[in-house]
Structures are given as C-alpha cells and as structure tokens.
Amino acid sequence: SRSYWLVGISLHGLGHYEEALANLQKALEIHKKMLGEGHLEIIRTYGWVGNCLHELGRYEEALMIHKTAFQIC
C-alpha cells in the first residue's frame, strides 16, 4: 500500500492526476483493510485523493472526500 501511495504522490506532483488518483484510491483501499478507518494514513490518503479530484475539476467529490477525512479526525 505504501508503494501505491508514494507513486500516487509522485504522479500528483507531475500533474498526472488521473493516474495519481487511481494509485491513491488503491492505497486507500489497502490501508482501510490493514489499518482501520481512523488511522492517520487513512486521513492523509483521503486528503491526497481529494486534492487529485480538485485538480481534475471534480469539486463536489473533492469536498465530500475532504469532509470524510475531517470527520475521521
């Protein structure tokens, strides 16, 4: 899961938001299974997923993801 997360962050930095989103969503799926919903890695990954969605112009989805991360905190 860490590898998906790192690749996703790198792709985001390069402006490859669709690919970044796919990797970060995979990391999120694995993190949830391994760590549980309240873990810091889950919150951080939700944040990056939201950032990708924002960059892709998917603002409503981004807002929902960021709210989810906030509620976990």
Side-chain angles (χ1 to χ4, degrees):
S1 68
R2 183 83 174 148
S3 295
Y4 284 109
W5 191 82
L6 291 170
V7 169
I9 300 306
S10 297
L11 288 166
H12 183 278
L14 292 169
H16 301 286
Y17 304 117
E18 287 285 352
E19 292 174 80
L21 180 60
N23 279 274
L24 290 164
Q25 287 174 325
K26 183 67 175 175
L28 185 60
E29 177 185 319
I30 294 168
H31 283 154
K32 284 181 180 180
K33 289 178 186 174
M34 290 177 40
L35 305 171
E37 189 72 28
H39 196 276
L40 178 61
E41 283 296 314
I42 301 293
I43 298 165
R44 187 179 348 195
T45 306
Y46 271 125
W48 279 103
V49 168
N51 291 343
C52 286
L53 290 167
H54 183 269
E55 293 292 346
L56 291 167
R58 294 164 59 180
Y59 303 116
E60 291 293 324
E61 291 174 83
L63 180 60
M64 296 291 287
I65 291 292
H66 285 299
K67 283 183 176 181
T68 300
F70 182 73
Q71 289 172 349
I72 294 170
C73 294

PDB file of all heavy atoms in Angstrom, residues 34-71:
ATOM      1  N   MET A  34      -5.958  -2.864   6.180  1.00  0.00           N
ATOM      2  CA  MET A  34      -4.827  -3.140   7.067  1.00  0.00           C
ATOM      3  C   MET A  34      -4.873  -2.348   8.372  1.00  0.00           C
ATOM      4  O   MET A  34      -4.499  -2.872   9.419  1.00  0.00           O
ATOM      5  CB  MET A  34      -3.504  -2.835   6.345  1.00  0.00           C
ATOM      6  CG  MET A  34      -3.170  -3.782   5.236  1.00  0.00           C
ATOM      7  SD  MET A  34      -1.642  -3.350   4.327  1.00  0.00           S
ATOM      8  CE  MET A  34      -0.545  -2.822   5.598  1.00  0.00           C
ATOM      9  N   LEU A  35      -5.305  -1.094   8.307  1.00  0.00           N
ATOM     10  CA  LEU A  35      -5.134  -0.188   9.435  1.00  0.00           C
ATOM     11  C   LEU A  35      -6.430   0.215  10.127  1.00  0.00           C
ATOM     12  O   LEU A  35      -6.396   0.688  11.261  1.00  0.00           O
ATOM     13  CB  LEU A  35      -4.410   1.089   8.963  1.00  0.00           C
ATOM     14  CG  LEU A  35      -3.073   0.876   8.262  1.00  0.00           C
ATOM     15  CD1 LEU A  35      -2.581   2.185   7.667  1.00  0.00           C
ATOM     16  CD2 LEU A  35      -2.050   0.303   9.228  1.00  0.00           C
ATOM     17  N   GLY A  36      -7.537   0.111   9.447  1.00  0.00           N
ATOM     18  CA  GLY A  36      -8.795   0.584  10.005  1.00  0.00           C
ATOM     19  C   GLY A  36      -9.039   2.041   9.653  1.00  0.00           C
ATOM     20  O   GLY A  36      -8.115   2.792   9.334  1.00  0.00           O
ATOM     21  N   GLU A  37     -10.287   2.448   9.728  1.00  0.00           N
ATOM     22  CA  GLU A  37     -10.730   3.758   9.239  1.00  0.00           C
ATOM     23  C   GLU A  37     -10.103   4.951   9.957  1.00  0.00           C
ATOM     24  O   GLU A  37      -9.913   6.003   9.377  1.00  0.00           O
ATOM     25  CB  GLU A  37     -12.252   3.832   9.349  1.00  0.00           C
ATOM     26  CG  GLU A  37     -12.875   5.040   8.699  1.00  0.00           C
ATOM     27  CD  GLU A  37     -12.855   4.998   7.178  1.00  0.00           C
ATOM     28  OE1 GLU A  37     -12.870   3.910   6.588  1.00  0.00           O
ATOM     29  OE2 GLU A  37     -12.831   6.082   6.568  1.00  0.00           O
ATOM     30  N   GLY A  38      -9.769   4.840  11.232  1.00  0.00           N
ATOM     31  CA  GLY A  38      -9.313   6.004  11.989  1.00  0.00           C
ATOM     32  C   GLY A  38      -7.821   6.272  11.968  1.00  0.00           C
ATOM     33  O   GLY A  38      -7.355   7.216  12.606  1.00  0.00           O
ATOM     34  N   HIS A  39      -7.060   5.516  11.259  1.00  0.00           N
ATOM     35  CA  HIS A  39      -5.598   5.659  11.245  1.00  0.00           C
ATOM     36  C   HIS A  39      -5.164   6.916  10.485  1.00  0.00           C
ATOM     37  O   HIS A  39      -5.808   7.326   9.520  1.00  0.00           O
ATOM     38  CB  HIS A  39      -4.981   4.419  10.607  1.00  0.00           C
ATOM     39  CG  HIS A  39      -3.526   4.270  10.864  1.00  0.00           C
ATOM     40  ND1 HIS A  39      -2.583   4.909  10.109  1.00  0.00           N
ATOM     41  CD2 HIS A  39      -2.860   3.555  11.796  1.00  0.00           C
ATOM     42  CE1 HIS A  39      -1.378   4.588  10.558  1.00  0.00           C
ATOM     43  NE2 HIS A  39      -1.520   3.769  11.588  1.00  0.00           N
ATOM     44  N   LEU A  40      -4.078   7.511  10.915  1.00  0.00           N
ATOM     45  CA  LEU A  40      -3.548   8.724  10.289  1.00  0.00           C
ATOM     46  C   LEU A  40      -3.283   8.540   8.795  1.00  0.00           C
ATOM     47  O   LEU A  40      -3.534   9.449   7.999  1.00  0.00           O
ATOM     48  CB  LEU A  40      -2.276   9.177  11.004  1.00  0.00           C
ATOM     49  CG  LEU A  40      -1.584  10.414  10.430  1.00  0.00           C
ATOM     50  CD1 LEU A  40      -2.511  11.630  10.489  1.00  0.00           C
ATOM     51  CD2 LEU A  40      -0.293  10.692  11.178  1.00  0.00           C
ATOM     52  N   GLU A  41      -2.794   7.386   8.399  1.00  0.00           N
ATOM     53  CA  GLU A  41      -2.529   7.136   6.972  1.00  0.00           C
ATOM     54  C   GLU A  41      -3.814   7.218   6.153  1.00  0.00           C
ATOM     55  O   GLU A  41      -3.793   7.671   5.010  1.00  0.00           O
ATOM     56  CB  GLU A  41      -1.877   5.765   6.770  1.00  0.00           C
ATOM     57  CG  GLU A  41      -0.408   5.721   7.127  1.00  0.00           C
ATOM     58  CD  GLU A  41       0.449   6.604   6.236  1.00  0.00           C
ATOM     59  OE1 GLU A  41       0.289   6.570   5.000  1.00  0.00           O
ATOM     60  OE2 GLU A  41       1.292   7.327   6.786  1.00  0.00           O
ATOM     61  N   ILE A  42      -4.926   6.783   6.732  1.00  0.00           N
ATOM     62  CA  ILE A  42      -6.209   6.857   6.039  1.00  0.00           C
ATOM     63  C   ILE A  42      -6.586   8.323   5.817  1.00  0.00           C
ATOM     64  O   ILE A  42      -6.966   8.725   4.717  1.00  0.00           O
ATOM     65  CB  ILE A  42      -7.323   6.160   6.856  1.00  0.00           C
ATOM     66  CG1 ILE A  42      -7.001   4.690   7.111  1.00  0.00           C
ATOM     67  CG2 ILE A  42      -8.681   6.328   6.181  1.00  0.00           C
ATOM     68  CD1 ILE A  42      -6.993   3.819   5.902  1.00  0.00           C
ATOM     69  N   ILE A  43      -6.459   9.113   6.867  1.00  0.00           N
ATOM     70  CA  ILE A  43      -6.796  10.536   6.785  1.00  0.00           C
ATOM     71  C   ILE A  43      -5.925  11.232   5.746  1.00  0.00           C
ATOM     72  O   ILE A  43      -6.414  11.986   4.911  1.00  0.00           O
ATOM     73  CB  ILE A  43      -6.646  11.200   8.167  1.00  0.00           C
ATOM     74  CG1 ILE A  43      -7.627  10.563   9.151  1.00  0.00           C
ATOM     75  CG2 ILE A  43      -6.846  12.709   8.077  1.00  0.00           C
ATOM     76  CD1 ILE A  43      -7.334  10.873  10.596  1.00  0.00           C
ATOM     77  N   ARG A  44      -4.644  10.956   5.794  1.00  0.00           N
ATOM     78  CA  ARG A  44      -3.707  11.570   4.847  1.00  0.00           C
ATOM     79  C   ARG A  44      -4.020  11.160   3.407  1.00  0.00           C
ATOM     80  O   ARG A  44      -3.996  11.992   2.496  1.00  0.00           O
ATOM     81  CB  ARG A  44      -2.277  11.169   5.210  1.00  0.00           C
ATOM     82  CG  ARG A  44      -1.249  11.891   4.406  1.00  0.00           C
ATOM     83  CD  ARG A  44       0.164  11.548   4.738  1.00  0.00           C
ATOM     84  NE  ARG A  44       0.341  10.780   5.953  1.00  0.00           N
ATOM     85  CZ  ARG A  44       1.503  10.624   6.558  1.00  0.00           C
ATOM     86  NH1 ARG A  44       2.574  11.198   6.074  1.00  0.00           N
ATOM     87  NH2 ARG A  44       1.607   9.892   7.644  1.00  0.00           N
ATOM     88  N   THR A  45      -4.343   9.899   3.213  1.00  0.00           N
ATOM     89  CA  THR A  45      -4.642   9.412   1.869  1.00  0.00           C
ATOM     90  C   THR A  45      -5.941  10.015   1.350  1.00  0.00           C
ATOM     91  O   THR A  45      -6.031  10.397   0.176  1.00  0.00           O
ATOM     92  CB  THR A  45      -4.682   7.871   1.840  1.00  0.00           C
ATOM     93  OG1 THR A  45      -3.444   7.372   2.374  1.00  0.00           O
ATOM     94  CG2 THR A  45      -4.846   7.354   0.420  1.00  0.00           C
ATOM     95  N   TYR A  46      -6.960  10.128   2.218  1.00  0.00           N
ATOM     96  CA  TYR A  46      -8.187  10.820   1.823  1.00  0.00           C
ATOM     97  C   TYR A  46      -7.856  12.239   1.337  1.00  0.00           C
ATOM     98  O   TYR A  46      -8.407  12.716   0.347  1.00  0.00           O
ATOM     99  CB  TYR A  46      -9.169  10.923   2.989  1.00  0.00           C
ATOM    100  CG  TYR A  46     -10.129   9.774   3.130  1.00  0.00           C
ATOM    101  CD1 TYR A  46     -10.224   9.076   4.327  1.00  0.00           C
ATOM    102  CD2 TYR A  46     -10.973   9.402   2.098  1.00  0.00           C
ATOM    103  CE1 TYR A  46     -11.122   8.036   4.496  1.00  0.00           C
ATOM    104  CE2 TYR A  46     -11.872   8.364   2.247  1.00  0.00           C
ATOM    105  CZ  TYR A  46     -11.937   7.682   3.450  1.00  0.00           C
ATOM    106  OH  TYR A  46     -12.835   6.657   3.598  1.00  0.00           O
ATOM    107  N   GLY A  47      -6.972  12.905   2.052  1.00  0.00           N
ATOM    108  CA  GLY A  47      -6.586  14.259   1.658  1.00  0.00           C
ATOM    109  C   GLY A  47      -5.986  14.312   0.268  1.00  0.00           C
ATOM    110  O   GLY A  47      -6.335  15.178  -0.546  1.00  0.00           O
ATOM    111  N   TRP A  48      -5.104  13.388  -0.040  1.00  0.00           N
ATOM    112  CA  TRP A  48      -4.481  13.362  -1.361  1.00  0.00           C
ATOM    113  C   TRP A  48      -5.489  12.994  -2.453  1.00  0.00           C
ATOM    114  O   TRP A  48      -5.444  13.534  -3.562  1.00  0.00           O
ATOM    115  CB  TRP A  48      -3.295  12.403  -1.378  1.00  0.00           C
ATOM    116  CG  TRP A  48      -2.072  13.031  -0.811  1.00  0.00           C
ATOM    117  CD1 TRP A  48      -1.538  12.833   0.424  1.00  0.00           C
ATOM    118  CD2 TRP A  48      -1.225  13.991  -1.447  1.00  0.00           C
ATOM    119  NE1 TRP A  48      -0.420  13.606   0.597  1.00  0.00           N
ATOM    120  CE2 TRP A  48      -0.199  14.317  -0.545  1.00  0.00           C
ATOM    121  CE3 TRP A  48      -1.225  14.601  -2.697  1.00  0.00           C
ATOM    122  CZ2 TRP A  48       0.801  15.231  -0.861  1.00  0.00           C
ATOM    123  CZ3 TRP A  48      -0.223  15.504  -3.006  1.00  0.00           C
ATOM    124  CH2 TRP A  48       0.770  15.805  -2.088  1.00  0.00           C
ATOM    125  N   VAL A  49      -6.398  12.069  -2.142  1.00  0.00           N
ATOM    126  CA  VAL A  49      -7.451  11.732  -3.095  1.00  0.00           C
ATOM    127  C   VAL A  49      -8.284  12.979  -3.390  1.00  0.00           C
ATOM    128  O   VAL A  49      -8.578  13.299  -4.550  1.00  0.00           O
ATOM    129  CB  VAL A  49      -8.334  10.571  -2.572  1.00  0.00           C
ATOM    130  CG1 VAL A  49      -9.594  10.417  -3.413  1.00  0.00           C
ATOM    131  CG2 VAL A  49      -7.555   9.264  -2.550  1.00  0.00           C
ATOM    132  N   GLY A  50      -8.632  13.708  -2.337  1.00  0.00           N
ATOM    133  CA  GLY A  50      -9.388  14.946  -2.508  1.00  0.00           C
ATOM    134  C   GLY A  50      -8.640  15.967  -3.341  1.00  0.00           C
ATOM    135  O   GLY A  50      -9.225  16.646  -4.191  1.00  0.00           O
ATOM    136  N   ASN A  51      -7.346  16.066  -3.122  1.00  0.00           N
ATOM    137  CA  ASN A  51      -6.528  17.003  -3.907  1.00  0.00           C
ATOM    138  C   ASN A  51      -6.542  16.635  -5.392  1.00  0.00           C
ATOM    139  O   ASN A  51      -6.641  17.521  -6.252  1.00  0.00           O
ATOM    140  CB  ASN A  51      -5.093  17.032  -3.393  1.00  0.00           C
ATOM    141  CG  ASN A  51      -4.963  17.651  -2.033  1.00  0.00           C
ATOM    142  OD1 ASN A  51      -5.865  18.351  -1.558  1.00  0.00           O
ATOM    143  ND2 ASN A  51      -3.854  17.380  -1.361  1.00  0.00           N
ATOM    144  N   CYS A  52      -6.432  15.351  -5.693  1.00  0.00           N
ATOM    145  CA  CYS A  52      -6.483  14.910  -7.097  1.00  0.00           C
ATOM    146  C   CYS A  52      -7.829  15.247  -7.719  1.00  0.00           C
ATOM    147  O   CYS A  52      -7.890  15.759  -8.845  1.00  0.00           O
ATOM    148  CB  CYS A  52      -6.245  13.409  -7.193  1.00  0.00           C
ATOM    149  SG  CYS A  52      -4.545  12.904  -6.937  1.00  0.00           S
ATOM    150  N   LEU A  53      -8.896  14.959  -6.994  1.00  0.00           N
ATOM    151  CA  LEU A  53     -10.229  15.255  -7.508  1.00  0.00           C
ATOM    152  C   LEU A  53     -10.390  16.748  -7.764  1.00  0.00           C
ATOM    153  O   LEU A  53     -10.962  17.152  -8.786  1.00  0.00           O
ATOM    154  CB  LEU A  53     -11.290  14.757  -6.523  1.00  0.00           C
ATOM    155  CG  LEU A  53     -11.414  13.240  -6.413  1.00  0.00           C
ATOM    156  CD1 LEU A  53     -12.251  12.875  -5.202  1.00  0.00           C
ATOM    157  CD2 LEU A  53     -11.996  12.649  -7.683  1.00  0.00           C
ATOM    158  N   HIS A  54      -9.862  17.553  -6.876  1.00  0.00           N
ATOM    159  CA  HIS A  54      -9.923  19.005  -7.047  1.00  0.00           C
ATOM    160  C   HIS A  54      -9.185  19.426  -8.319  1.00  0.00           C
ATOM    161  O   HIS A  54      -9.695  20.214  -9.114  1.00  0.00           O
ATOM    162  CB  HIS A  54      -9.340  19.708  -5.825  1.00  0.00           C
ATOM    163  CG  HIS A  54      -9.440  21.184  -5.897  1.00  0.00           C
ATOM    164  ND1 HIS A  54      -8.433  21.962  -6.438  1.00  0.00           N
ATOM    165  CD2 HIS A  54     -10.417  22.035  -5.519  1.00  0.00           C
ATOM    166  CE1 HIS A  54      -8.800  23.230  -6.380  1.00  0.00           C
ATOM    167  NE2 HIS A  54      -9.998  23.298  -5.823  1.00  0.00           N
ATOM    168  N   GLU A  55      -7.993  18.908  -8.503  1.00  0.00           N
ATOM    169  CA  GLU A  55      -7.200  19.250  -9.683  1.00  0.00           C
ATOM    170  C   GLU A  55      -7.898  18.817 -10.973  1.00  0.00           C
ATOM    171  O   GLU A  55      -7.701  19.431 -12.017  1.00  0.00           O
ATOM    172  CB  GLU A  55      -5.812  18.609  -9.606  1.00  0.00           C
ATOM    173  CG  GLU A  55      -4.927  19.158  -8.514  1.00  0.00           C
ATOM    174  CD  GLU A  55      -4.488  20.593  -8.757  1.00  0.00           C
ATOM    175  OE1 GLU A  55      -4.628  21.112  -9.876  1.00  0.00           O
ATOM    176  OE2 GLU A  55      -3.982  21.209  -7.796  1.00  0.00           O
ATOM    177  N   LEU A  56      -8.708  17.769 -10.893  1.00  0.00           N
ATOM    178  CA  LEU A  56      -9.437  17.272 -12.059  1.00  0.00           C
ATOM    179  C   LEU A  56     -10.757  18.011 -12.272  1.00  0.00           C
ATOM    180  O   LEU A  56     -11.511  17.695 -13.188  1.00  0.00           O
ATOM    181  CB  LEU A  56      -9.696  15.767 -11.913  1.00  0.00           C
ATOM    182  CG  LEU A  56      -8.458  14.885 -11.996  1.00  0.00           C
ATOM    183  CD1 LEU A  56      -8.774  13.476 -11.525  1.00  0.00           C
ATOM    184  CD2 LEU A  56      -7.912  14.868 -13.422  1.00  0.00           C
ATOM    185  N   GLY A  57     -11.031  18.992 -11.411  1.00  0.00           N
ATOM    186  CA  GLY A  57     -12.257  19.763 -11.543  1.00  0.00           C
ATOM    187  C   GLY A  57     -13.482  19.060 -10.982  1.00  0.00           C
ATOM    188  O   GLY A  57     -14.606  19.479 -11.221  1.00  0.00           O
ATOM    189  N   ARG A  58     -13.275  18.015 -10.225  1.00  0.00           N
ATOM    190  CA  ARG A  58     -14.367  17.244  -9.626  1.00  0.00           C
ATOM    191  C   ARG A  58     -14.575  17.752  -8.194  1.00  0.00           C
ATOM    192  O   ARG A  58     -14.350  17.058  -7.220  1.00  0.00           O
ATOM    193  CB  ARG A  58     -14.024  15.753  -9.695  1.00  0.00           C
ATOM    194  CG  ARG A  58     -13.971  15.275 -11.137  1.00  0.00           C
ATOM    195  CD  ARG A  58     -13.275  13.957 -11.329  1.00  0.00           C
ATOM    196  NE  ARG A  58     -13.874  12.862 -10.601  1.00  0.00           N
ATOM    197  CZ  ARG A  58     -13.396  11.613 -10.647  1.00  0.00           C
ATOM    198  NH1 ARG A  58     -12.338  11.329 -11.405  1.00  0.00           N
ATOM    199  NH2 ARG A  58     -13.974  10.662  -9.941  1.00  0.00           N
ATOM    200  N   TYR A  59     -15.023  18.992  -8.110  1.00  0.00           N
ATOM    201  CA  TYR A  59     -15.051  19.725  -6.852  1.00  0.00           C
ATOM    202  C   TYR A  59     -16.008  19.151  -5.818  1.00  0.00           C
ATOM    203  O   TYR A  59     -15.676  19.114  -4.628  1.00  0.00           O
ATOM    204  CB  TYR A  59     -15.361  21.199  -7.107  1.00  0.00           C
ATOM    205  CG  TYR A  59     -14.387  21.840  -8.058  1.00  0.00           C
ATOM    206  CD1 TYR A  59     -14.810  22.331  -9.288  1.00  0.00           C
ATOM    207  CD2 TYR A  59     -13.035  21.917  -7.749  1.00  0.00           C
ATOM    208  CE1 TYR A  59     -13.911  22.907 -10.175  1.00  0.00           C
ATOM    209  CE2 TYR A  59     -12.129  22.485  -8.630  1.00  0.00           C
ATOM    210  CZ  TYR A  59     -12.579  22.974  -9.840  1.00  0.00           C
ATOM    211  OH  TYR A  59     -11.673  23.531 -10.716  1.00  0.00           O
ATOM    212  N   GLU A  60     -17.170  18.718  -6.238  1.00  0.00           N
ATOM    213  CA  GLU A  60     -18.136  18.147  -5.289  1.00  0.00           C
ATOM    214  C   GLU A  60     -17.575  16.878  -4.652  1.00  0.00           C
ATOM    215  O   GLU A  60     -17.687  16.680  -3.442  1.00  0.00           O
ATOM    216  CB  GLU A  60     -19.468  17.858  -5.972  1.00  0.00           C
ATOM    217  CG  GLU A  60     -20.242  19.095  -6.372  1.00  0.00           C
ATOM    218  CD  GLU A  60     -20.728  19.899  -5.181  1.00  0.00           C
ATOM    219  OE1 GLU A  60     -21.093  19.301  -4.144  1.00  0.00           O
ATOM    220  OE2 GLU A  60     -20.744  21.141  -5.288  1.00  0.00           O
ATOM    221  N   GLU A  61     -16.978  16.026  -5.480  1.00  0.00           N
ATOM    222  CA  GLU A  61     -16.366  14.796  -4.966  1.00  0.00           C
ATOM    223  C   GLU A  61     -15.206  15.117  -4.027  1.00  0.00           C
ATOM    224  O   GLU A  61     -15.044  14.481  -2.989  1.00  0.00           O
ATOM    225  CB  GLU A  61     -15.864  13.926  -6.107  1.00  0.00           C
ATOM    226  CG  GLU A  61     -16.944  13.310  -6.949  1.00  0.00           C
ATOM    227  CD  GLU A  61     -16.354  12.581  -8.138  1.00  0.00           C
ATOM    228  OE1 GLU A  61     -15.937  11.417  -7.964  1.00  0.00           O
ATOM    229  OE2 GLU A  61     -16.310  13.191  -9.230  1.00  0.00           O
ATOM    230  N   ALA A  62     -14.404  16.099  -4.416  1.00  0.00           N
ATOM    231  CA  ALA A  62     -13.272  16.504  -3.583  1.00  0.00           C
ATOM    232  C   ALA A  62     -13.756  16.977  -2.220  1.00  0.00           C
ATOM    233  O   ALA A  62     -13.191  16.606  -1.178  1.00  0.00           O
ATOM    234  CB  ALA A  62     -12.462  17.603  -4.270  1.00  0.00           C
ATOM    235  N   LEU A  63     -14.805  17.778  -2.223  1.00  0.00           N
ATOM    236  CA  LEU A  63     -15.357  18.285  -0.972  1.00  0.00           C
ATOM    237  C   LEU A  63     -15.837  17.141  -0.090  1.00  0.00           C
ATOM    238  O   LEU A  63     -15.564  17.133   1.126  1.00  0.00           O
ATOM    239  CB  LEU A  63     -16.490  19.259  -1.257  1.00  0.00           C
ATOM    240  CG  LEU A  63     -17.181  19.872  -0.044  1.00  0.00           C
ATOM    241  CD1 LEU A  63     -16.195  20.652   0.813  1.00  0.00           C
ATOM    242  CD2 LEU A  63     -18.334  20.766  -0.497  1.00  0.00           C
ATOM    243  N   MET A  64     -16.516  16.180  -0.666  1.00  0.00           N
ATOM    244  CA  MET A  64     -17.011  15.035   0.102  1.00  0.00           C
ATOM    245  C   MET A  64     -15.852  14.242   0.724  1.00  0.00           C
ATOM    246  O   MET A  64     -15.921  13.838   1.887  1.00  0.00           O
ATOM    247  CB  MET A  64     -17.854  14.116  -0.792  1.00  0.00           C
ATOM    248  CG  MET A  64     -19.120  14.758  -1.321  1.00  0.00           C
ATOM    249  SD  MET A  64     -20.327  15.069  -0.046  1.00  0.00           S
ATOM    250  CE  MET A  64     -20.876  13.423   0.279  1.00  0.00           C
ATOM    251  N   ILE A  65     -14.806  14.042  -0.036  1.00  0.00           N
ATOM    252  CA  ILE A  65     -13.642  13.285   0.461  1.00  0.00           C
ATOM    253  C   ILE A  65     -12.966  14.055   1.589  1.00  0.00           C
ATOM    254  O   ILE A  65     -12.605  13.485   2.616  1.00  0.00           O
ATOM    255  CB  ILE A  65     -12.645  12.989  -0.686  1.00  0.00           C
ATOM    256  CG1 ILE A  65     -13.247  11.990  -1.674  1.00  0.00           C
ATOM    257  CG2 ILE A  65     -11.307  12.511  -0.155  1.00  0.00           C
ATOM    258  CD1 ILE A  65     -13.442  10.589  -1.104  1.00  0.00           C
ATOM    259  N   HIS A  66     -12.786  15.353   1.409  1.00  0.00           N
ATOM    260  CA  HIS A  66     -12.150  16.156   2.456  1.00  0.00           C
ATOM    261  C   HIS A  66     -13.013  16.189   3.723  1.00  0.00           C
ATOM    262  O   HIS A  66     -12.484  16.134   4.837  1.00  0.00           O
ATOM    263  CB  HIS A  66     -11.850  17.570   1.959  1.00  0.00           C
ATOM    264  CG  HIS A  66     -10.689  17.638   1.028  1.00  0.00           C
ATOM    265  ND1 HIS A  66      -9.407  17.260   1.389  1.00  0.00           N
ATOM    266  CD2 HIS A  66     -10.596  18.011  -0.267  1.00  0.00           C
ATOM    267  CE1 HIS A  66      -8.588  17.425   0.373  1.00  0.00           C
ATOM    268  NE2 HIS A  66      -9.291  17.871  -0.655  1.00  0.00           N
ATOM    269  N   LYS A  67     -14.318  16.242   3.563  1.00  0.00           N
ATOM    270  CA  LYS A  67     -15.219  16.198   4.726  1.00  0.00           C
ATOM    271  C   LYS A  67     -15.104  14.850   5.437  1.00  0.00           C
ATOM    272  O   LYS A  67     -15.123  14.779   6.668  1.00  0.00           O
ATOM    273  CB  LYS A  67     -16.658  16.456   4.306  1.00  0.00           C
ATOM    274  CG  LYS A  67     -16.955  17.905   4.037  1.00  0.00           C
ATOM    275  CD  LYS A  67     -18.424  18.100   3.704  1.00  0.00           C
ATOM    276  CE  LYS A  67     -18.768  19.564   3.519  1.00  0.00           C
ATOM    277  NZ  LYS A  67     -20.207  19.759   3.214  1.00  0.00           N
ATOM    278  N   THR A  68     -14.975  13.789   4.669  1.00  0.00           N
ATOM    279  CA  THR A  68     -14.799  12.452   5.258  1.00  0.00           C
ATOM    280  C   THR A  68     -13.533  12.409   6.094  1.00  0.00           C
ATOM    281  O   THR A  68     -13.536  11.914   7.224  1.00  0.00           O
ATOM    282  CB  THR A  68     -14.754  11.375   4.161  1.00  0.00           C
ATOM    283  OG1 THR A  68     -15.976  11.411   3.429  1.00  0.00           O
ATOM    284  CG2 THR A  68     -14.547   9.988   4.747  1.00  0.00           C
ATOM    285  N   ALA A  69     -12.439  12.937   5.548  1.00  0.00           N
ATOM    286  CA  ALA A  69     -11.179  12.964   6.289  1.00  0.00           C
ATOM    287  C   ALA A  69     -11.326  13.781   7.568  1.00  0.00           C
ATOM    288  O   ALA A  69     -10.850  13.402   8.637  1.00  0.00           O
ATOM    289  CB  ALA A  69     -10.066  13.544   5.413  1.00  0.00           C
ATOM    290  N   PHE A  70     -12.005  14.911   7.458  1.00  0.00           N
ATOM    291  CA  PHE A  70     -12.207  15.793   8.615  1.00  0.00           C
ATOM    292  C   PHE A  70     -13.024  15.093   9.693  1.00  0.00           C
ATOM    293  O   PHE A  70     -12.728  15.216  10.895  1.00  0.00           O
ATOM    294  CB  PHE A  70     -12.899  17.079   8.166  1.00  0.00           C
ATOM    295  CG  PHE A  70     -13.111  18.069   9.257  1.00  0.00           C
ATOM    296  CD1 PHE A  70     -12.045  18.786   9.777  1.00  0.00           C
ATOM    297  CD2 PHE A  70     -14.376  18.280   9.779  1.00  0.00           C
ATOM    298  CE1 PHE A  70     -12.229  19.696  10.798  1.00  0.00           C
ATOM    299  CE2 PHE A  70     -14.576  19.183  10.794  1.00  0.00           C
ATOM    300  CZ  PHE A  70     -13.494  19.895  11.315  1.00  0.00           C
ATOM    301  N   GLN A  71     -14.042  14.349   9.300  1.00  0.00           N
ATOM    302  CA  GLN A  71     -14.897  13.654  10.267  1.00  0.00           C
ATOM    303  C   GLN A  71     -14.134  12.561  11.008  1.00  0.00           C
ATOM    304  O   GLN A  71     -14.419  12.278  12.176  1.00  0.00           O
ATOM    305  CB  GLN A  71     -16.123  13.063   9.568  1.00  0.00           C
ATOM    306  CG  GLN A  71     -17.099  14.127   9.125  1.00  0.00           C
ATOM    307  CD  GLN A  71     -18.217  13.573   8.252  1.00  0.00           C
ATOM    308  OE1 GLN A  71     -18.169  12.435   7.803  1.00  0.00           O
ATOM    309  NE2 GLN A  71     -19.226  14.396   8.028  1.00  0.00           N
TER     310      GLN A  71
END
